[in-house]
Amino acid sequence: MDGLSDEMAGLSVDGAGLSPDGPGLSSSDDETTQWLDITQLVRAGTAELGEGELLRADGLSLFDALTSVEVMDPRLDMGVLTAADEAEIGQWDVGRTLTAAQALWVAERAFQCEMTWHASASLLQTMYACNYVTDPAYVRLPVGRADSPSPVRDRVLYPLLVAAGRCCRRVWDEYKMGNLYSEEDVFLGTAAAMHFFDEFSDGAALALLDGAAAWLDGAGGAGNDDDDELRAVARLRALVRVRRRWLEVAGALGAAELADDPAAALDRALQGLQGLRTCHAEYVAAHRPADAAWLEAHAVRGAFDFKCMRRYAATVPVKPRALLGAGEAHAEFGRLARDLALAGDLAAAGSAEQLMYFFLGVAQRDSTPHPYVRSVLMSVLAQGDRVQLREPMARFASRAVRDMAPPADPDADAALCDEAARLLTDWFRTMCQNVPRQRRVALKSLPAWDLLQAEAEALDIAAYRAAHPAAAEDRASDPACNPFWLSSWAYHAKLLLMEAALLAGARLELYQDYELPSVLCYATQVLEAHVAHLARWADLVADSPSAAACVTRWHALLAAQKDLAMALWLAAHACERLRIFAAPWARGPPDDVRRRLDAEPARRARYALRFRAFAQLGSPPYVTFESYGEAAAQLDAYPLAELFIHAQAILARARAGLDAARRARDEASPAAWDRLCHGVNYAIVSNSVALARLLKGTALVHAPELALSGAQAGAHHYALAQQQQQQQQHADQHNRPRPRSKRGRKKHAPPDHASTARKWQSAVDAALRDAAVCVRWSCPLDKGTCWPVFSFIAQPD
Amino acid sequence: MADKKIVYTTYQRESDLAPAIKLIDQDLSEPYSIYTYRYFVHQWPELCILAHAQNKDNNEEEKGECAGVVICRLEPHRRRYCEGFFEDSAELNRGYIAMIAVGKPFRKQGVGSELVRRALDRMREMGADEVILEAEVGNAAALALYQRLGFVREKRLYRYYLGGMDAFRLKLWL
């Protein structure tokens, strides 16, 4: 322990030494720093300036301006000391003897600091605020000694803080893998020479924790009649268990451990994780609402210095951040521990296909997983040249392609597989980013997939020529002759990426109501292209059972989604015609604003904003602004009721299609596939119910004769009228004489379904037009779907 | 506020800034330094528009209470990307609405909309092609205001604000 104080004294951030002198600007940042008083120089230089006049360097950017700090403004200047801060600093007593309740308060507050750091705050305003972590004078004390004057402080709190430091080191090392984005996901502003009790190994820290547990079980708990102390000892005991498990898990997930023996390390981590979740849940469950006040009554004044930034003069200042509350911190930790189990699912995936299901599922989770979890997932996915810590990337991609395109020539596509492996792992990594970034990166990476597809097409043509030297030249590029194995796979992956990007916009609430018809129209077109592609592909791989199963599975799921998109498009288009989805400016601003925003250039620009990323792709064909206008005009030819009814019918078909997708699930990865199907199913069922309610509800409110039975009868007549019409067309086509009734024989006149249906349609149209129908839509992420779910509310007059 | 009229002026002098800063500090979650404000008002004083509440019978020299403020900038942007929309434009001039605030007693009277509209008009006169801004995801009132004026949600920015909230980047083509 003797060396510890020197280590702590040498604690440095960006080369700035930790001042051993306590508060105040450090005079010992490094040996070469010389401080110069420039007060007079500044006064002289600014003597001619009037109030508010500004000297501004040309290079001062908007970013510089927005991130500038005003010295002595407590909202901006991390170092400014308020009277309350001064009072707190004056209370720091390094030699104070702590009770168990006080030690628990410090440990809990340090835990809040740790979790706030995880939430993208600086270490200097979180962990390093704890004087028991940073004050060399404390570290010089005889910690861990049996004759310590403050045993609970030195034999329990200290091991807890050392272990917390080790956990932070593990998390920091993971963050340094470069998987995440600084400040967006984590705070990496002061990366140099961070100190996390590095003089201790994880094993030493665990031994200290074991010692703490033993002391709490023995001397710490014995002979103490104070209820507060007994309560605190029990909670400290639980906290030691949590910390021990957490350090074990984080240690097992370290890069070196995973590289050394991936299977064993992951196994250890997952086993530890189970224990960690149990321990932590018990710790949280034992916490009663009154505990917060009780614990606060045992606060140790001066133990935390949240203005410690001023001691690190050479560090770029950060703006103050509020600490997470105790409840928030534990909730955040609970989520972290829960989501870390994903690493096990990832490692268990046996093929690229299963990884695809897994990552699509991760991307659709209701909340972005904790940054540490996301980074661990990325590290387990790909490190160096290995995927899932076991398989070389090229072989992985080659397998990925052959899972769905079996006859590819193994020699012809080696270079392509390298590129495919890179793109595929990049895509999976993208799915681990926060959702806004997922969408942006997905859109940016589409051209690379397009290029891969083009290269694959060239390889496919070369392979065809090699296999069919006698075939005519033009047959090689004819899809009817050439299976286009490799490029089919690349096209499939590109289309999945496009669909994910389109849906991510809905999930992120980027699309406004009036944009929904165009977005759903586009999604329908992409999914239609995808389904057609898979249908052709399914024929090609019919002889290969595993590939056929894979293609058929995707086909069923995507066909259901295509139907879902089309049904929602029809409903959204009808809502637009009903003026429910009118643009916000249509109701408010003056005419000149409305005219400008409704003018074609503005509409075209808004359309381009959403879909321009698809315009540069070789396939599928870009749905131009004009094409969308034509498609919308075609829908305008239908009565409103027909649009809604047709949407309902398509949703019913989607549901049947999804049942097929569920039956075709991948038995090697059933849970991941079921999750994907579940989200789509929720959207289909919810939208079906919403549409049924709309027709029933508006009819009930505005046209009692169109109540449920009427609506059903109307729909029935509508279906019969359609059937009649088809029969008529069929008969006309084949020029068959129609049967005539015998003269003089009285017959019931056949029901005029068409007439009834027309009447019903126009009545529903009128009811819908008059109804002040309110429509809301959202993506219920907690149900595992990124698809919009409509909610129609018929507002009474 | 029936006895008050709202008068709009552009930034004239340093003394205009203090009441504007006070309003913005009360309204926005993000703290800004005096340098941030000066960065804007010294370079684009015509794009700092203030709303003053004056007594109806007051003479014009008295500015009255600061009821609202909008602070913007306008600069050439490094790229132009909306195909077919700015075909005649040699370079893309991008406006940016940095801050807007309306005092509580003056809300729901169209002061915010008027401030933004005046800023947009001014930027249009100065040659702006498009205007962008960021708004907190949970700030429904601000989002509704901008959307009524034709702004589109271009992207979502994860943990954009110091408090960890997300922001929408909004965009309007002029």
Side-chain angles (χ1 to χ4, degrees), chain A residues 571-582:
Chain A
H573 183 85
C575 289
E576 195 179 34
R577 270 172 59 190
L578 283 164
R579 308 284 295 157
I580 300 167
F581 279 178

PDB file of all heavy atoms in Angstrom, chain A residues 571-582:
ATOM      1  N   ALA A 571     -54.728   3.596 -46.212  1.00  0.00           N
ATOM      2  CA  ALA A 571     -55.395   4.278 -45.097  1.00  0.00           C
ATOM      3  C   ALA A 571     -54.854   5.703 -44.940  1.00  0.00           C
ATOM      4  O   ALA A 571     -55.614   6.658 -44.729  1.00  0.00           O
ATOM      5  CB  ALA A 571     -55.190   3.488 -43.813  1.00  0.00           C
ATOM      6  N   ALA A 572     -53.529   5.841 -45.062  1.00  0.00           N
ATOM      7  CA  ALA A 572     -52.927   7.169 -44.905  1.00  0.00           C
ATOM      8  C   ALA A 572     -53.365   8.097 -46.040  1.00  0.00           C
ATOM      9  O   ALA A 572     -53.622   9.290 -45.832  1.00  0.00           O
ATOM     10  CB  ALA A 572     -51.404   7.055 -44.877  1.00  0.00           C
ATOM     11  N   HIS A 573     -53.456   7.531 -47.236  1.00  0.00           N
ATOM     12  CA  HIS A 573     -53.906   8.342 -48.372  1.00  0.00           C
ATOM     13  C   HIS A 573     -55.348   8.801 -48.153  1.00  0.00           C
ATOM     14  O   HIS A 573     -55.695   9.966 -48.431  1.00  0.00           O
ATOM     15  CB  HIS A 573     -53.802   7.536 -49.672  1.00  0.00           C
ATOM     16  CG  HIS A 573     -54.173   8.323 -50.886  1.00  0.00           C
ATOM     17  ND1 HIS A 573     -53.283   9.135 -51.551  1.00  0.00           N
ATOM     18  CD2 HIS A 573     -55.362   8.468 -51.530  1.00  0.00           C
ATOM     19  CE1 HIS A 573     -53.896   9.731 -52.561  1.00  0.00           C
ATOM     20  NE2 HIS A 573     -55.166   9.342 -52.571  1.00  0.00           N
ATOM     21  N   ALA A 574     -56.181   7.896 -47.650  1.00  0.00           N
ATOM     22  CA  ALA A 574     -57.578   8.270 -47.367  1.00  0.00           C
ATOM     23  C   ALA A 574     -57.619   9.366 -46.308  1.00  0.00           C
ATOM     24  O   ALA A 574     -58.404  10.319 -46.410  1.00  0.00           O
ATOM     25  CB  ALA A 574     -58.357   7.042 -46.910  1.00  0.00           C
ATOM     26  N   CYS A 575     -56.758   9.249 -45.308  1.00  0.00           N
ATOM     27  CA  CYS A 575     -56.709  10.282 -44.256  1.00  0.00           C
ATOM     28  C   CYS A 575     -56.275  11.627 -44.850  1.00  0.00           C
ATOM     29  O   CYS A 575     -56.742  12.686 -44.427  1.00  0.00           O
ATOM     30  CB  CYS A 575     -55.732   9.880 -43.152  1.00  0.00           C
ATOM     31  SG  CYS A 575     -56.335   8.532 -42.162  1.00  0.00           S
ATOM     32  N   GLU A 576     -55.379  11.557 -45.800  1.00  0.00           N
ATOM     33  CA  GLU A 576     -54.938  12.797 -46.442  1.00  0.00           C
ATOM     34  C   GLU A 576     -56.110  13.431 -47.201  1.00  0.00           C
ATOM     35  O   GLU A 576     -56.318  14.647 -47.144  1.00  0.00           O
ATOM     36  CB  GLU A 576     -53.792  12.476 -47.403  1.00  0.00           C
ATOM     37  CG  GLU A 576     -53.020  13.700 -47.853  1.00  0.00           C
ATOM     38  CD  GLU A 576     -51.876  13.314 -48.773  1.00  0.00           C
ATOM     39  OE1 GLU A 576     -52.022  12.347 -49.550  1.00  0.00           O
ATOM     40  OE2 GLU A 576     -50.837  13.982 -48.713  1.00  0.00           O
ATOM     41  N   ARG A 577     -56.877  12.569 -47.887  1.00  0.00           N
ATOM     42  CA  ARG A 577     -58.024  13.112 -48.630  1.00  0.00           C
ATOM     43  C   ARG A 577     -59.093  13.656 -47.707  1.00  0.00           C
ATOM     44  O   ARG A 577     -59.821  14.592 -48.054  1.00  0.00           O
ATOM     45  CB  ARG A 577     -58.608  12.014 -49.527  1.00  0.00           C
ATOM     46  CG  ARG A 577     -57.961  12.020 -50.901  1.00  0.00           C
ATOM     47  CD  ARG A 577     -58.380  10.854 -51.712  1.00  0.00           C
ATOM     48  NE  ARG A 577     -59.813  10.785 -51.933  1.00  0.00           N
ATOM     49  CZ  ARG A 577     -60.428   9.733 -52.472  1.00  0.00           C
ATOM     50  NH1 ARG A 577     -59.725   8.664 -52.798  1.00  0.00           N
ATOM     51  NH2 ARG A 577     -61.715   9.719 -52.661  1.00  0.00           N
ATOM     52  N   LEU A 578     -59.171  13.054 -46.537  1.00  0.00           N
ATOM     53  CA  LEU A 578     -60.138  13.561 -45.550  1.00  0.00           C
ATOM     54  C   LEU A 578     -59.623  14.818 -44.851  1.00  0.00           C
ATOM     55  O   LEU A 578     -60.274  15.337 -43.953  1.00  0.00           O
ATOM     56  CB  LEU A 578     -60.413  12.483 -44.494  1.00  0.00           C
ATOM     57  CG  LEU A 578     -61.333  11.352 -44.929  1.00  0.00           C
ATOM     58  CD1 LEU A 578     -61.227  10.174 -43.968  1.00  0.00           C
ATOM     59  CD2 LEU A 578     -62.766  11.839 -45.005  1.00  0.00           C
ATOM     60  N   ARG A 579     -58.451  15.235 -45.227  1.00  0.00           N
ATOM     61  CA  ARG A 579     -57.785  16.419 -44.658  1.00  0.00           C
ATOM     62  C   ARG A 579     -57.341  16.204 -43.220  1.00  0.00           C
ATOM     63  O   ARG A 579     -57.016  17.157 -42.510  1.00  0.00           O
ATOM     64  CB  ARG A 579     -58.677  17.670 -44.731  1.00  0.00           C
ATOM     65  CG  ARG A 579     -59.248  17.970 -46.075  1.00  0.00           C
ATOM     66  CD  ARG A 579     -58.261  18.571 -47.019  1.00  0.00           C
ATOM     67  NE  ARG A 579     -57.783  19.882 -46.611  1.00  0.00           N
ATOM     68  CZ  ARG A 579     -56.626  20.396 -47.019  1.00  0.00           C
ATOM     69  NH1 ARG A 579     -55.849  19.713 -47.815  1.00  0.00           N
ATOM     70  NH2 ARG A 579     -56.254  21.584 -46.636  1.00  0.00           N
ATOM     71  N   ILE A 580     -57.360  14.945 -42.768  1.00  0.00           N
ATOM     72  CA  ILE A 580     -56.866  14.682 -41.411  1.00  0.00           C
ATOM     73  C   ILE A 580     -55.347  14.819 -41.395  1.00  0.00           C
ATOM     74  O   ILE A 580     -54.762  15.275 -40.428  1.00  0.00           O
ATOM     75  CB  ILE A 580     -57.245  13.255 -40.964  1.00  0.00           C
ATOM     76  CG1 ILE A 580     -58.752  13.087 -40.977  1.00  0.00           C
ATOM     77  CG2 ILE A 580     -56.705  12.965 -39.573  1.00  0.00           C
ATOM     78  CD1 ILE A 580     -59.199  11.652 -40.848  1.00  0.00           C
ATOM     79  N   PHE A 581     -54.741  14.401 -42.490  1.00  0.00           N
ATOM     80  CA  PHE A 581     -53.282  14.487 -42.585  1.00  0.00           C
ATOM     81  C   PHE A 581     -52.846  15.731 -43.358  1.00  0.00           C
ATOM     82  O   PHE A 581     -51.818  15.725 -44.025  1.00  0.00           O
ATOM     83  CB  PHE A 581     -52.725  13.237 -43.278  1.00  0.00           C
ATOM     84  CG  PHE A 581     -52.582  12.053 -42.362  1.00  0.00           C
ATOM     85  CD1 PHE A 581     -52.130  10.845 -42.840  1.00  0.00           C
ATOM     86  CD2 PHE A 581     -52.890  12.141 -41.012  1.00  0.00           C
ATOM     87  CE1 PHE A 581     -51.993   9.743 -42.008  1.00  0.00           C
ATOM     88  CE2 PHE A 581     -52.759  11.057 -40.168  1.00  0.00           C
ATOM     89  CZ  PHE A 581     -52.315   9.847 -40.667  1.00  0.00           C
ATOM     90  N   ALA A 582     -53.639  16.769 -43.278  1.00  0.00           N
ATOM     91  CA  ALA A 582     -53.251  18.005 -43.966  1.00  0.00           C
ATOM     92  C   ALA A 582     -51.995  18.565 -43.316  1.00  0.00           C
ATOM     93  O   ALA A 582     -51.783  18.397 -42.111  1.00  0.00           O
ATOM     94  CB  ALA A 582     -54.379  19.010 -43.875  1.00  0.00           C
TER      95      ALA A 582
END
